[in-house]
Amino acid sequence: MGQIEWAMWANEQALASGLILVMGGIVATAGQFTKWYFGAYSIGAGVFVCLLEYPRGKRRKGSTMERCGQKYMTRVVKVFGPLTRNYYVRAFLHLALSVPAGFLLATILGTACLAIASCIYLLAAFRGEQWVPIEPKPKERPQVGGTIKQPPSNPPPRPPAEARKKPSEGEAAGAAGVSGGPQENPVPVIDEVV
């Protein structure tokens, strides 16, 4: 059985947590809760988490499905280098971002989800995983000579493969030696009636 890549789980969990933080922050801010400023903070923190977590990392084995438009955010995340690639940094960053949002009831669910994502990232870091961007593979052009093995010998329309079996060399030589002269046209000519 293969080894689980924990970073994939943490990425999905953190992205969902960011969205939950944004929604809870909107509810708290629009509802003018007593500590609505924590709701405004949750909106900013949720957007930051979503932007950081949107580009998926490349899996060690197998293929990774890229998110729509991920290549643009991948460039931004790559710029910060080890700060965004290291899962220890992400684990502690998510944990620090989740603490202030925990003081408000509307954002407590996002806080809990982000804390869980932080724990999963910490586990991924202990396992030696790190974020690697998904790079597009250069497309290989097919070689023209390599795709055609043997060109067709007779023009279209061609009969099925069973019907166009060629006679062996011995049969072909025997048939040419028997007739001795020019071969006649095997197609009968139909005279037109006028």
Side-chain angles (χ1 to χ4, degrees), residues 24-189:
I26 290 172
V27 168
T29 308
Q32 290 295 313
F33 284 25
T34 15
K35 297 180 182 178
W36 64 270
Y37 43 88
F38 285 119
Y41 165 80
S42 294
I43 293 171
V47 168
F48 174 74
V49 168
C50 287
L51 291 176
L52 177 64
E53 296 296 332
Y54 190 72
R56 281 187 179 132
K58 185 177 180 182
R59 296 177 64 184
R60 288 182 182 174
K61 293 181 181 178
S63 62
T64 308
M65 188 79 163
E66 191 175 9
R67 288 191 175 110
C68 181
Q70 171 179 329
K71 59 184 173 184
Y72 305 112
M73 283 307 301
T74 301
R75 293 179 191 152
V76 174
V77 173
K78 277 173 54 175
V79 167
F80 292 102
L83 291 176
T84 54
R85 289 184 182 183
N86 191 341
Y87 286 146
Y88 284 112
V89 173
R90 282 196 189 192
F92 292 118
L93 177 69
H94 289 333
L95 190 61
L97 286 173
S98 69
V99 171
F103 294 112
L104 192 59
L105 184 61
T107 59
I108 195 82
L109 180 62
T111 298
C113 292
L114 198 57
I116 291 169
S118 173
C119 293
I120 299 171
Y121 266 133
L122 198 57
L123 180 62
F126 281 138
R127 300 277 176 144
E129 298 177 31
Q130 72 171 2
W131 186 81
V132 178
I134 301 172
E135 299 289 340
K137 295 179 182 176
K139 294 182 180 179
E140 294 181 12
R141 302 183 89 193
Q143 297 176 352
V144 176
T147 57
I148 301 173
K149 294 179 181 168
Q150 183 177 1
S153 58
N154 56 341
R158 296 180 189 93
E162 299 83 32
R164 59 182 146 124
K165 290 184 179 177
K166 295 182 181 178
S168 64
E169 291 181 16
E171 293 173 357
V178 172
S179 67
Q183 294 184 355
E184 296 181 12
N185 189 0
V187 179
V189 178

Side-chain angles (χ1 to χ4, degrees), residues 9-30:
W9 293 97
N11 177 261
E12 297 295 330
Q13 178 75 23
L15 185 63
S17 303
L19 294 172
I20 294 169
L21 273 175
V22 168
M23 287 188 286
I26 290 172
V27 168
T29 308

